[in-house]
Amino acid sequence: MVFDINQFKTRGLIYGGARPALFNVIVTPPPVIGIPNAAINKFTFTARAASLPESNMEAIQVPYFGRKIKIAGDRTFADWRITVMNDEDFGVRAMFEKWSNAMNKHVANKRNENLITENYKSTMDVIQYSKDGLEIRSYQIIGAFPTVIDAIDLDWDTTNAVETFNVGFAYDYWIP
């Protein structure tokens, strides 16, 4: 390989590289939970950070005469996390709290009677855009539901910041 900057420019990042700030996350909570459309629409603008989802292919080790070979095993999908900016109406945080509470109530330790089978799960989309504003890659996250709604840190020393919190999701799988 020759170290030639011109080859890099013509063969490497020929489009200038994908930018991590050009993304959107769309959440569609299950209708049976009754989340207001205002909170769902607001989420699109307050989802501050996310990731393109990962998947892992487990390797199965098979021993043979003291040596091991590896063969492809089952695919697993790690939990997915997003960071959300909190507004003073707490609308988006309340959306996730209501969804979580429907799956298992804070006091009664039971689920909402309207949740049957897996209708507490939803589909989410994370979309990557080009610098031209065109969609270049999207991932549909299937069977998602919130498992963690992180605390919001309050602090008298933090004066010039907007509150944020993380939400963790378990899901069945994703498709590009």
Side-chain angles (χ1 to χ4, degrees):
M1 173 173 209
V2 176
F3 298 103
D4 181 343
I5 193 67
N6 291 320
Q7 285 188 17
F8 174 72
K9 288 179 358 183
T10 59
R11 295 183 186 170
L13 299 177
I14 58 177
Y15 298 105
R19 306 299 167 92
L22 300 177
F23 76 96
N24 189 19
V25 178
I26 300 168
V27 62
T28 310
V32 69
I33 295 174
I35 294 173
N37 283 334
I40 296 168
N41 294 334
K42 189 172 201 171
F43 169 78
T44 298
F45 297 99
T46 59
R48 194 188 121 217
S51 62
L52 301 178
E54 72 174 274
S55 71
N56 301 295
M57 180 67 70
E58 300 290 330
I60 300 170
Q61 292 190 17
V62 180
Y64 179 74
F65 282 94
R67 300 287 178 142
K68 294 182 181 172
I69 63 166
K70 295 179 182 179
I71 60 173
D74 292 334
R75 181 176 302 279
T76 59
F77 298 93
D79 286 354
W80 186 64
R81 295 179 67 77
I82 58 171
T83 301
V84 180
M85 295 182 292
N86 193 35
D87 202 2
E88 287 186 346
D89 66 357
F90 276 72
V92 174
R93 184 171 176 94
M95 171 179 75
F96 290 116
E97 290 172 341
K98 185 173 184 177
W99 190 352
S100 177
N101 194 51
M103 293 183 299
N104 184 273
K105 297 194 181 301
H106 287 239
V107 177
N109 194 26
K110 65 178 189 173
R111 75 170 181 235
N112 181 311
E113 58 276 355
N114 294 324
L115 296 182
I116 53 174
T117 61
E118 293 190 349
N119 67 349
Y120 59 89
K121 293 183 176 183
S122 183
T123 298
M124 300 182 72
D125 296 286
V126 58
I127 304 164
Q128 176 80 53
Y129 295 99
S130 69
K131 293 177 293 304
D132 299 334
L134 302 174
E135 183 178 310
I136 55 176
R137 188 79 171 164
S138 67
Y139 295 84
Q140 196 168 51
I141 299 170
I142 310 294
F145 61 95
T147 57
V148 176
I149 303 169
D150 280 350
I152 296 176
D153 293 328
L154 305 174
D155 183 344
W156 284 355
D157 285 335
T158 307
T159 57
N160 290 321
V162 173
E163 291 177 348
T164 62
F165 62 96
N166 295 318
V167 182
F169 294 88
Y171 61 96
D172 296 330
Y173 60 95
W174 57 261
I175 52 176

